[in-house]
Amino acid sequence: MDANKRKEILDTVAKLRVTDIRDGMDWVGLHHVGTVDPEIRPLYRTKAAGFAQTYRHIPTQQRVPELSPEDYTKWAYEYWYRQLWNMGDFKEQVGEGDFLVIDTMGQKTPAIGSMDSMVWAANGVKGVLTNGGARDTDEQLYQKAMPCWHRWVVQPMYQGRVEFGEPNSTVEIGGAMVRPGDLVVADGDGAIVVPQDVIDDVLYYAKQESENDRYDRGMLFEALGIAPDESTQSMFPDMPPHPYKKNREDFMKRLRKK
């Protein structure tokens, strides 16, 4: 997928909710595909979307040697992080419009912390989805550099616990299968994964249902005296009329019926 197509998709998704994407998945018959378990939640209320870049935290079989604190520092940085946590070419392939998807394989290790969240954000990464943890969360909540959907808040570093492994592989996050290049969309309602080969069809029906929902919301806001906001405005005026668009006059009469 070229950069222009990726940008077009992300521009469209920016106008949709996770629930709209869920509707689009249903409309193409993928009712049991894509939804990430609701226990994986955002660190803070926000929205993000991007294309999956995947890897795993491999539980280590290494034993931590007995070392002086000074030697431990050298061991951690020169051995663990240079050899066992060496991301190699993976760091270079991740960039603008990507979404890191990290399977920690049941380990309560941090998929994202305060420092690396800023590094990835500077490289154009849009978000992190993990079945593991977030660390340095007070700082992350202040920075808000990297939207993160995670299972736990955790404390440890990687050394002595996990090794970097299996980049560009298929992973499972909260019951959803994620392949490199799949579309990840996440907001306050959680995260959903759209397989790459159905993105266009899913977005078409997501837009159809979103436009109908916004139209109905506009009438309901009016009936209830709520000031209209962005959620009542059409985002895709070129979409054909919804096949089951309500008749405004009949709907408003029904709403006002005592």
Side-chain angles (χ1 to χ4, degrees):
M1 188 185 299
D2 64 27
N4 289 334
K5 179 64 173 178
R6 280 164 58 106
K7 183 179 185 304
E8 175 189 326
I9 289 170
L10 293 183
D11 286 347
T12 297
V13 170
K15 301 172 185 176
L16 295 166
R17 306 166 298 180
V18 162
T19 49
D20 300 319
I21 304 297
R22 178 66 267 164
D23 291 345
M25 295 278 278
D26 288 358
W27 253 250
V28 301
L30 299 177
H31 293 73
H32 305 293
V33 174
T35 295
V36 175
D37 193 295
E39 72 176 17
I40 294 176
R41 302 295 299 159
L43 181 59
Y44 54 90
R45 279 273 178 172
T46 187
K47 178 181 178 181
F51 297 92
Q53 295 274 13
T54 66
Y55 66 91
R56 286 191 172 95
H57 289 193
I58 307 297
T60 190
Q61 301 300 310
Q62 301 278 341
R63 287 184 176 272
V64 179
E66 288 191 24
L67 299 167
S68 68
E70 292 76 13
D71 288 340
Y72 180 82
T73 300
K74 182 177 180 180
W75 175 85
Y77 285 92
E78 294 190 12
Y79 173 63
W80 204 275
Y81 288 104
R82 286 187 185 175
Q83 297 183 40
L84 301 185
W85 195 265
N86 184 350
M87 289 188 165
D89 295 338
F90 183 77
K91 289 191 296 186
E92 306 305 319
Q93 79 180 42
V94 177
E96 184 62 40
D98 287 332
F99 212 107
L100 288 178
V101 180
I102 305 164
D103 178 5
T104 68
M105 301 184 69
Q107 305 304 296
K108 293 183 172 64
T109 45
I112 197 76
S114 61
M115 295 293 289
D116 49 357
S117 69
M118 292 187 286
V119 171
W120 288 120
N123 287 329
V125 173
K126 300 304 181 185
V128 170
L129 173 65
T130 182
N131 52 16
R135 171 183 145 128
D136 313 320
T137 55
D138 290 342
E139 289 80 8
Q140 287 201 61
L141 287 167
Y142 170 72
Q143 296 159 194
K144 293 189 175 176
M146 180 60 64
C148 171
W149 283 258
H150 67 299
R151 176 171 280 136
W152 302 301
V153 172
V154 298
Q155 300 168 359
M157 295 174 72
Y158 302 135
Q159 75 272 8
R161 298 177 177 89
V162 291
E163 303 171 22
F164 176 78
E166 300 183 15
N168 309 309
S169 58
T170 298
V171 298
E172 180 266 318
I173 306 292
M177 182 182 296
V178 190
R179 300 179 179 90
D182 287 348
L183 176 64
V184 181
V185 186
D187 63 16
D189 287 333
I192 190 166
V193 181
V194 183
Q196 188 172 354
D197 60 344
V198 296
I199 290 174
D200 287 341
D201 289 340
V202 167
L203 292 187
Y204 180 86
Y205 291 105
K207 291 188 292 183
Q208 171 185 279
E209 295 308 302
S210 173
E211 286 294 281
N212 196 48
D213 182 76
R214 288 169 179 272
Y215 174 74
D216 289 353
R217 283 176 65 82
M219 292 188 290
L220 288 163
F221 273 39
E222 180 181 342
L224 295 171
I226 303 172
D229 66 1
E230 186 181 87
S231 73
T232 65
Q233 299 170 10
S234 171
M235 292 287 109
F236 306 101
D238 294 335
M239 284 294 294
H242 194 280
Y244 290 91
K245 185 175 182 178
K246 295 179 178 64
N247 177 285
R248 186 181 187 282
E249 183 177 355
D250 291 344
F251 189 58
M252 295 301 282
K253 283 180 180 178
R254 181 161 64 89
L255 291 174
R256 290 171 177 155
K257 186 176 180 180
K258 301 296 185 184

